[in-house]
Amino acid sequence: MKIVTTNIGEKKEVNWKGKTVTTGIFKYAVDKPIFLDIEEVKEDAICDREHHGGVLQAVYGYSLKHYAYFKELYPDLNFEMGMFGENLTLDDLDEKKIHQGDTFKVGETILEATVQRNPCMKLGIRFNDMKIVKQFWNTTFCGVYFKVLKTGLVKAGDVFEQIKACPENPTIANLYIAKRAAKGI
């Protein structure tokens, strides 16, 4: 697994159905290393601290392979790296193989897989279609939140080297499926 792009976003206000919504989901690829800190990615806007950022959700990773599935559903949409609000677009992140607690050395950092990403209406705003939220829930393509155990810089091309495996813990996909069931989706 390696980083294809590093992505950050700015605080953006959008008009959605007559309401002003503030979001940081509009991420874009940057051609420079990004600094992964304890509670956030430096220079990346987090507008909803209740659901994003913090120790357990400091960095969000998403698989480039998942893009193909959603491109079929939205063929007219201009897909850019960071489309799902991820800080790290990875070549082959598999939520069915990553367990909670699995730890990776990447760039200068050490990251620990913590939880799944649950979609919210801001993903619908990014896609300009609220159907994406349910479509996202109906997959296991949720991406992975990481805790930063050692801060530092990462860049495109950096490899995720697994340094600790926790097969006794649930996979990120299993956490996502359990969350979906608990929500009655």
Side-chain angles (χ1 to χ4, degrees):
M1 200 168 46
K2 72 177 180 181
I3 299 173
V4 177
T5 61
T6 54
N7 314 299
I8 59 174
E10 298 169 357
K11 178 179 174 180
K12 185 173 183 176
E13 290 188 349
V14 294
N15 184 313
W16 184 257
K17 301 192 181 212
K19 288 179 63 179
T20 300
V21 178
T22 305
T23 182
I25 199 167
F26 289 87
K27 309 265 187 260
Y28 54 90
V30 292
D31 292 327
K32 64 178 185 175
I34 59 173
F35 189 85
L36 309 185
D37 210 345
I38 295 295
E39 293 193 24
E40 65 193 2
V41 175
K42 288 297 181 192
E43 299 182 42
D44 181 47
I46 299 174
C47 299
D48 178 1
R49 290 273 177 186
E50 183 179 340
H51 297 103
H52 305 287
V55 173
L56 296 180
Q57 298 180 150
V59 180
Y60 178 45
Y62 199 73
S63 183
L64 180 61
K65 287 192 173 183
H66 299 342
Y67 273 67
Y69 174 81
F70 292 104
K71 281 181 179 179
E72 282 190 29
L73 297 175
Y74 296 90
D76 297 329
L77 197 58
N78 179 24
F79 278 79
E80 301 169 344
M81 296 299 98
M83 185 79 182
F84 294 89
E86 76 271 18
N87 302 112
L88 306 176
T89 306
L90 304 167
D91 62 348
D92 190 13
L93 178 115
D94 188 342
E95 296 87 339
K96 293 179 181 177
K97 293 181 180 175
I98 296 178
H99 294 82
Q100 192 172 45
D102 286 357
T103 305
F104 304 87
K105 169 134 181 41
V106 57
E108 299 174 351
T109 71
I110 297 178
L111 305 178
E112 178 185 310
T114 55
V115 293
Q116 75 288 348
R117 189 241 181 143
N118 303 318
C120 68
M121 58 97 61
K122 292 180 181 177
L123 183 63
I125 290 172
R126 179 69 174 96
F127 274 69
N128 198 31
D129 190 333
M130 284 298 156
K131 288 189 291 189
I132 185 65
V133 177
K134 186 169 185 181
Q135 292 163 334
F136 195 91
W137 271 116
N138 287 332
T139 71
T140 54
F141 303 155
C142 56
V144 178
Y145 273 116
F146 293 96
K147 177 180 185 175
V148 179
L149 300 179
K150 180 182 177 217
T151 64
L153 295 167
V154 298
K155 65 185 180 318
D158 283 349
V159 174
F160 270 64
E161 174 191 347
Q162 189 164 2
I163 58 175
K164 178 182 174 189
C166 297
E168 69 280 5
N169 293 344
T171 66
I172 297 299
N174 285 339
L175 292 171
Y176 190 61
I177 291 165
K179 183 68 170 183
R180 183 171 61 212
K183 291 178 87 52
I185 298 173

